[in-house]
Amino acid sequence: MSLLLRRNLLPSLLSSAQGFSHSMRFRHLHTTILRNRTITDGQRQNTSQLFEPPANKPPARPSSSDFTHSDMVKCTIAIRHHMRKGQCDTALLLFNSMPRKSEVTYHTMISGYFSNGESNMAQQLFDEMPVKNLVSQCIMMKWNIKYNNLKAARLLFDELPVKDVVAWTTILTGYIQNGLMDEGKRFFDKMPDKDVFSWNTILSGYIQNGLLDEAMRVFDEMPVKNAVSWNTILSGYMQNGLLDKAKSVFDEMPVKDVVSWTTIIIGYARHGFGEEALQHFESMKQASIQPNELTMVGVLTACSHTGLIDKGKHYFYSMSQDHGIVPNICHYSCLIGLLGRAGHLDEAQNLMKSMPFEPNAVTWSTLLSACRVHGNTKLGEKAAEMLFDLEPWNCVPYVTLSNLYAASGRWEDVKKTRLKMKDQGISNRRGYSWVEVLNKIHKFSVGDFTHPDSESIRAFLEELYLRMKEEGYVSSTKSALHDVDEEEKQHTLKFHSERLAVAYGIMKTPSGRPVRIFKNLRVCEDCHMAIKHIAKIAGRLIILRDTNRFHYFEGGVCNCGDYW
DNA sequence: GTAGGGTTAG
């Protein structure tokens, strides 16, 4: 590319990137020249080390080029901006027009390509790099892990001549993301250096893998904690339904940033305590912490899960004015969910039509689940059709639609939907529930009698079933398996995984204590009704976390108000 | 002043 073209092209590419003016000029200045260097000392490189001439040498001579080091940095920053906006082609034009590139420029390009899903381009640039250093290898390790190739990442790691704490932590993340906590812990113990990042990684690993007690121990052991550590343990308590502990951590934490506030707001929202969530939102503003897009998702979720329609609308429509946050598709989906769940399906649909985005899978799923709650088969069909296209691998729209048909007795359509699902090679995701008793997780699937205490669980459930019927419980078999007879349906429902877990939890924990159940799917309608009765009969608070929210069953009611 | 690891979402 000619210098002339470069002169013309560069300023326009630079100025189109956010935050850059036309003021950049190529100057004839004494300049430092990039000395490509591999990292050999195991120390973290900082850029000044890379670009500044050694103090004991005379200043670098003027470059023959008029492209200074400062110009190179400015181009690199512009490339980063283009990449963040998804403008890979513009970034590449700018990259190609640069007379010289630093390692940082390459890294910015490679990471940018990976983030935009262009892994082939990223790999190509990586191969073209004249000198690769530890950072280059770390980028490749990270993306191998993201693309589920931990083995390749580990190979790169093993081949590194010198490893620093970032490299170690990258691989640690790989183990954690693959659920390999034992290997992860062994790896962590072997690390020659640990900093607050690596401690936070192992902490979040335990939380992501559901090992809260281990996480609590790590949190206590940590030699250094920062706000990220506090936020991690806070979200851990929230995810596990320990609202009181979460609240006391929140009150205790030395610094509350936007993530802390957002975590507690989302936590209260998911537990169905909308008012508390909104109170925290008000306190957050009082504390002069600016909400971000996610905070507003939390606020709208709070309104949605508690049925606060007017408040939800108010927050949605004042977002941009009060906080300078333009509603994105998540915010629209929240409001659509709020309206839909409250039965305002027409309004929800109109909002969907008027939004400045194409509805995505989340939007349609939200609408579909509102249709399920309100038995709107026609709209449900449309939403499900859209989801078949958008997420062809997803079994949920098939199952929901089939249940919608079953609820209105359209057995032929049920059959067709199940058949279509089968033809697509999609199988129903297996549901299971688990409960923690004495630091041990007990996992159950439907009709699963492999547990050593199965006989007593079964007997207990039979006994509960009789008492539930006395209390007025009628099993709702309308949307359960249609191809088995009524008695068998009831039998299957009686031993759904959540009921086995609830029964075991009640049997094995001291009376008066809450029972905490987790389920990997949304709780079924009949079990929801049954657990309301069970909570009353057993005199227990039963807290059930499904994929959507927490349900608090107490005294015959659930705090979701039967909308979920 | 630009590049690699940790926190909040449905």
Side-chain angles (χ1 to χ4, degrees):
Chain A
M1 195 176 284
S2 74
L3 193 62
L4 187 68
L5 180 55
R6 249 182 247 147
R7 283 178 192 279
N8 290 335
L9 188 58
L10 272 173
S12 71
L13 291 177
L14 285 170
S15 63
S16 60
Q18 204 183 4
F20 285 85
S21 67
H22 293 269
S23 65
M24 189 189 131
R25 298 277 184 271
F26 295 168
R27 294 166 302 267
H28 293 273
L29 289 172
H30 291 235
T31 183
T32 57
I33 299 168
L34 169 70
R35 289 157 297 122
N36 275 337
R37 240 176 61 174
T38 49
I39 293 171
T40 54
D41 54 7
Q43 295 297 307
R44 196 163 181 172
Q45 295 291 302
N46 72 39
T47 46
S48 60
Q49 274 178 313
L50 276 169
F51 296 121
E52 275 171 16
N56 59 350
K57 287 200 177 165
R61 293 221 302 270
S63 161
S64 56
S65 160
D66 57 357
F67 188 76
T68 66
H69 169 244
S70 164
D71 294 332
M72 187 155 64
V73 171
K74 282 179 181 163
C75 283
T76 307
I77 297 172
I79 286 174
R80 192 182 66 146
H81 281 279
H82 286 304
M83 281 301 196
R84 286 200 174 167
K85 284 204 264 172
Q87 300 160 340
C88 298
D89 294 343
T90 318
L92 184 61
L93 271 178
L94 184 52
F95 179 79
N96 282 337
S97 68
M98 289 168 72
R100 283 178 298 119
K101 291 118 178 163
S102 69
E103 289 160 327
V104 180
T105 318
Y106 272 99
H107 294 154
T108 310
M109 285 294 293
I110 294 170
S111 292
Y113 271 129
F114 273 130
S115 311
N116 287 297
E118 303 250 9
S119 49
N120 288 341
M121 287 300 286
Q123 182 71 49
Q124 204 178 315
L125 265 185
F126 176 77
D127 294 339
E128 279 172 19
M129 271 189 86
V131 181
K132 297 167 181 77
N133 63 18
L134 185 54
V135 176
S136 333
Q137 302 291 355
C138 271
I139 296 172
M140 297 316 275
M141 280 155 49
K142 168 185 165 170
W143 286 97
N144 268 301
I145 288 166
K146 280 231 165 130
Y147 285 115
N148 286 321
N149 199 343
L150 177 58
K151 229 175 167 176
R154 180 62 208 242
L155 215 65
L156 283 172
F157 177 82
D158 289 337
E159 282 169 2
L160 287 175
V162 180
K163 307 162 170 68
D164 68 1
V165 64
V166 180
W168 281 87
T169 310
T170 305
I171 297 296
L172 179 59
T173 309
Y175 285 119
I176 286 166
Q177 283 175 7
N178 285 277
L180 304 167
M181 271 323 286
D182 291 341
E183 281 94 331
K185 178 64 169 54
R186 279 200 293 277
F187 191 81
F188 180 76
D189 289 338
K190 274 195 286 187
M191 285 176 72
D193 285 313
K194 299 181 180 81
D195 63 9
V196 70
F197 278 73
S198 20
W199 278 99
N200 286 340
T201 305
I202 193 85
L203 176 66
S204 82
Y206 281 127
I207 287 170
Q208 280 169 40
N209 288 289
L211 301 161
L212 188 63
D213 287 341
E214 296 292 330
M216 284 158 72
R217 203 159 55 225
V218 167
F219 186 75
D220 288 337
E221 273 176 20
M222 286 174 79
V224 270
K225 295 181 181 58
N226 60 15
V228 173
S229 330
W230 284 91
N231 289 339
T232 307
I233 198 78
L234 173 65
S235 79
Y237 285 137
M238 276 300 189
Q239 284 166 35
N240 285 282
L242 303 174
L243 213 48
D244 294 344
K245 281 206 161 176
K247 184 67 173 71
S248 53
V249 162
F250 181 77
D251 291 337
E252 251 178 71
M253 50 200 295
V255 180
K256 297 178 186 44
D257 62 11
V258 61
V259 176
S260 330
W261 285 99
T262 304
T263 305
I264 197 120
I265 289 169
I266 290 171
Y268 274 122
R270 292 197 68 214
H271 283 78
F273 299 108
E275 293 292 353
E276 284 82 352
L278 298 182
Q279 276 165 21
H280 277 81
F281 182 56
E282 294 305 323
S283 313
M284 172 183 180
K285 290 190 279 188
Q286 292 271 308
S288 301
I289 304 289
Q290 282 304 312
N292 63 21
E293 292 188 343
L294 221 53
T295 320
M296 297 315 298
V297 170
V299 169
L300 295 173
T301 308
C303 297
S304 178
H305 284 179
T306 322
L308 306 167
I309 304 172
D310 292 336
K311 279 194 174 165
K313 283 186 187 170
H314 163 78
Y315 283 120
F316 181 85
Y317 288 110
S318 59
M319 261 168 66
S320 46
Q321 205 177 8
D322 291 356
H323 312 293
I325 299 168
V326 181
N328 64 26
I329 191 149
C330 295
H331 302 117
Y332 274 95
S333 300
C334 283
L335 192 60
I336 288 166
L338 168 64
L339 294 168
R341 220 161 290 182
H344 304 201
L345 284 167
D346 288 339
E347 203 180 341
Q349 238 183 318
N350 289 337
L351 179 66
M352 197 157 162
K353 281 178 194 151
S354 74
M355 69 180 187
F357 310 96
E358 275 298 309
N360 64 12
V362 175
T363 326
W364 287 113
S365 305
T366 308
L367 200 65
L368 178 58
S369 92
C371 292
R372 181 188 58 85
V373 172
H374 296 285
N376 188 325
T377 314
K378 203 173 167 208
L379 188 55
E381 279 173 333
K382 187 178 165 187
E385 286 293 336
M386 299 306 291
L387 285 163
F388 295 158
D389 277 345
L390 286 167
E391 293 185 337
W393 43 265
N394 192 352
C395 65
V396 174
Y398 288 95
V399 175
T400 312
L401 182 62
S402 144
N403 287 347
L404 259 170
Y405 285 137
S408 47
R410 292 167 60 175
W411 303 113
E412 268 310 303
D413 289 317
V414 171
K415 229 184 235 171
K416 271 187 211 161
T417 312
R418 296 271 169 177
L419 209 65
K420 191 175 171 188
M421 183 172 162
K422 212 175 155 191
D423 285 347
Q424 303 288 318
I426 304 162
S427 55
N428 209 340
R429 223 177 123 197
R430 188 150 183 84
Y432 55 88
S433 302
W434 64 98
V435 59
E436 192 187 317
V437 173
L438 294 172
N439 291 327
K440 199 168 172 265
I441 305 283
H442 299 260
K443 195 169 145 185
F444 301 91
S445 55
V446 61
D448 170 9
F449 290 107
T450 54
H451 193 278
D453 292 321
S454 281
E455 271 321 302
S456 46
I457 296 173
R458 193 189 186 110
F460 186 51
L461 273 175
E462 293 287 4
E463 187 194 321
L464 277 174
Y465 188 69
L466 292 177
R467 293 193 50 194
M468 277 154 61
K469 284 220 287 204
E470 285 167 22
E471 292 265 338
Y473 162 78
V474 183
S475 81
S476 144
T477 51
K478 61 181 180 182
S479 58
L481 305 156
H482 69 284
D483 46 1
V484 290
D485 67 31
E486 193 70 15
E487 196 182 330
E488 205 178 326
K489 268 190 239 177
Q490 290 192 13
H491 183 79
T492 311
L493 287 171
K494 237 194 276 184
F495 302 115
H496 265 183
S497 67
E498 49 267 61
R499 294 199 205 181
L500 298 174
V502 165
Y504 194 67
I506 294 173
M507 286 161 61
K508 293 289 174 181
T509 56
S511 66
R513 291 272 291 277
V515 179
R516 286 167 216 284
I517 310 295
F518 301 87
K519 184 170 185 193
N520 71 332
L521 300 175
R522 206 188 274 257
V523 58
C524 100
E525 201 177 316
D526 186 69
C527 286
H528 192 268
M529 202 187 318
I531 298 171
K532 286 196 284 187
H533 285 287
I534 295 174
K536 191 177 173 189
I537 294 166
R540 292 286 196 105
L541 169 63
I542 299 171
I543 303 171
L544 168 69
R545 186 189 78 185
D546 70 8
T547 41
N548 197 31
R549 58 168 290 157
F550 285 85
H551 298 261
Y552 281 62
F553 299 93
E554 196 171 23
V557 290
C558 176
N559 77 337
C560 77
D562 300 339
Y563 292 100
W564 75 93

